Amino acid sequence: MRIILFTLWTVGVLQAESIQQLIDQSLKKHPSLQTIQHRLSAMDERIDESQNFSNPDISLTINDIQFDHPSDRGLEPMQFNAINVKQKFPWFGKLDARKNFTTAQKSLILDSYEAAKITLAKEIRMTSYSMKEIEARIRVVNRYKAVAKQNIDLYTSYASTENRSHTSSMAASLMLAKIKIKYERYKMILKNQQTTLKYLVQGEVSRVSDPLEIKRPGSLESYLSRSQNNLNYHMKLSEQHIAEANKVIQELNMAPDPYVNVGYYNRQEFPDYASVTVGVSLPLYGSEEHQAEAARKEALAAACASLDYRSSLESEITVMYAKLTEAYQIYHIIQNESLPQLEHMIELSQSGIQSGGDLFAYTNLLEQKLDLEEQRISIKAEYLRTQAQLKSLIGEI
């Protein structure tokens, strides 16, 4: 029997995966990340396209068609067939400005890709810790389910000598019913968490090997010093760079692009000839100036937005760190003060039962201990989930 149990335990350990393994597995094949990778690949094509001239215009002209003789093209010199090609040439610096603008757009997508990886890792951590929490709660309620059944048998044995034993037995039965309700609820929550983790990891997960253990948190300064690694902050900076690159483009657009029109004219009865036209569009109405001014204001807005996000990020890290330290303190109060005191009270109650003490009070103490043990599990999971959020805020996978 021991060999069988050891074999099953060994198989379970081998199948269990750490949270970091789940994250690495997900980062390789999650479709949401592959979507952004394809967008990044598309941006390479757009960067190449930004260096191209606009397409030339080509036109065919048949001039001076005589209605009396529509097919006769040699009646007079004004009758000709012409091919015209018109090409616009970008003003100096415009191609480089377009490339810088498109490159800045690619940087934003790259930042969004890294931010998506960070978010995915955070969600895997938080879901894994929630799974571990529910699994721990299930183990606790199963243990107390067995204790409640033992108490019912104990209280029944006192029925012939103790009038209060019936009430105590009913209290134990009620406790058992509550535990069964919790157990069924936890099973459903665990199933939902497993389904969520399956999607996040893109595969089946039998067990998560990481234990629900917490350590003393690092200093707030250690988190704040790494706030510049936040990928959402990098995205704000990339948006600022896009706005600045667009400002340069709009300012250059105030200088119109020249164009050259070359035509070849064919005449049947007269000599052929060519024509060359050079021209520009006239910015008479000030549209380009308005667009340039709007782009300058948008660049200023983007710069202010990045500064504002940096400030709000530091505030969010501070709030999250306070939540982390609160969870750590609460855990130690439960672990080192509340539970030991309650254990002592339960020992005294057990001793009192042997000398005819109150069985109902003993059941009440057991319920309090169950609640405290669940709170201890919950606060450990909350600490680890908060730590996962802090990791994402400082750009750690």
Side-chain angles (χ1 to χ4, degrees), residues 345-356:
M345 293 172 65
I346 288 175
E347 290 175 1
L348 293 176
S349 181
Q350 286 176 329
S351 300
I353 289 174
Q354 295 175 0
S355 58

Side-chain angles (χ1 to χ4, degrees), residues 56-327:
D57 295 334
I58 185 168
S59 62
L60 174 65
T61 303
I62 302 175
N63 191 59
D64 195 4
I65 300 174
Q66 299 285 333
F67 291 151
D68 293 338
H69 305 282
S71 62
D72 192 346
R73 303 299 297 156
L75 297 176
E76 58 176 335
M78 289 298 293
Q79 288 186 310
F80 61 81
N81 304 320
I83 295 178
N84 288 275
V85 177
K86 179 182 179 181
Q87 176 66 61
K88 182 182 289 188
F89 295 92
W91 191 253
F92 301 105
K94 285 190 176 181
L95 287 182
D96 289 338
R98 281 161 50 182
K99 183 176 181 179
N100 292 338
F101 177 74
T102 311
T103 302
Q105 288 180 315
K106 181 182 178 181
S107 295
L108 177 60
I109 296 176
L110 182 60
D111 289 337
S112 72
Y113 175 67
E114 296 298 329
K117 288 165 60 177
I118 295 293
T119 301
L120 184 59
K122 180 191 73 174
E123 293 300 325
I124 290 173
R125 280 196 174 91
M126 294 184 70
T127 305
S128 297
Y129 291 137
S130 295
M131 272 183 57
K132 298 293 292 184
E133 175 188 358
I134 299 303
E135 288 170 351
R137 284 176 180 263
I138 288 175
R139 288 194 295 271
V140 168
V141 296
N142 275 335
R143 178 157 50 85
Y144 276 85
K145 186 191 297 184
V147 171
K149 289 178 179 178
Q150 292 174 0
N151 287 344
I152 292 173
D153 296 337
L154 175 65
Y155 300 157
T156 302
S157 67
Y158 277 88
S160 58
T161 59
E162 181 78 38
N163 292 331
R164 292 175 296 175
S165 295
H166 179 69
T167 302
S168 299
S169 178
M170 291 295 293
S173 298
L174 182 59
M175 177 182 173
L176 179 60
K178 290 179 180 178
I179 290 174
K180 287 180 178 179
I181 291 171
K182 281 187 175 184
Y183 176 75
E184 294 301 325
R185 183 181 297 118
Y186 290 159
K187 280 202 308 181
M188 179 56 65
I189 295 174
L190 180 60
K191 184 177 179 181
N192 293 339
Q193 294 294 332
Q194 288 171 335
T195 301
T196 301
L197 190 60
K198 178 181 177 181
Y199 162 72
L200 292 172
V201 177
Q202 293 292 294
E204 296 290 343
V205 181
S206 57
R207 274 187 71 240
V208 178
S209 61
D210 297 58
L212 279 181
E213 293 181 355
I214 64 176
K215 299 178 181 179
R216 180 181 293 276
S219 66
L220 173 60
E221 289 71 22
S222 67
Y223 287 104
L224 291 175
S225 64
R226 289 175 283 173
S227 62
Q228 73 274 6
N229 298 329
N230 181 278
L231 270 301
N232 289 325
Y233 174 60
H234 285 194
M235 289 176 65
K236 291 293 182 183
L237 291 178
S238 292
E239 289 172 357
Q240 180 182 344
H241 295 156
I242 290 173
E244 290 171 349
N246 182 57
K247 177 176 73 72
V248 173
I249 288 177
Q250 299 305 326
E251 288 173 348
L252 288 172
N253 282 341
M254 295 174 66
D257 296 332
Y259 67 86
V260 176
N261 190 345
V262 177
Y264 172 74
Y265 295 82
N266 171 259
R267 298 185 294 182
Q268 290 185 3
E269 302 296 334
F270 305 94
D272 295 349
Y273 66 95
S275 70
V276 177
T277 303
V278 178
V280 294
S281 60
L282 294 178
L284 293 179
Y285 305 110
S287 299
E288 292 81 4
E289 185 176 350
H290 290 306
Q291 290 173 358
E293 183 62 24
R296 282 194 290 269
K297 292 178 179 179
E298 288 171 355
L300 290 173
C304 292
S306 63
L307 290 173
D308 178 66
Y309 186 83
R310 179 66 185 272
S311 177
S312 67
L313 175 61
E314 292 179 353
S315 175
E316 186 176 1
I317 289 175
T318 302
V319 170
M320 200 63 64
Y321 182 81
K323 185 178 179 182
L324 186 74
T325 54
E326 178 191 36

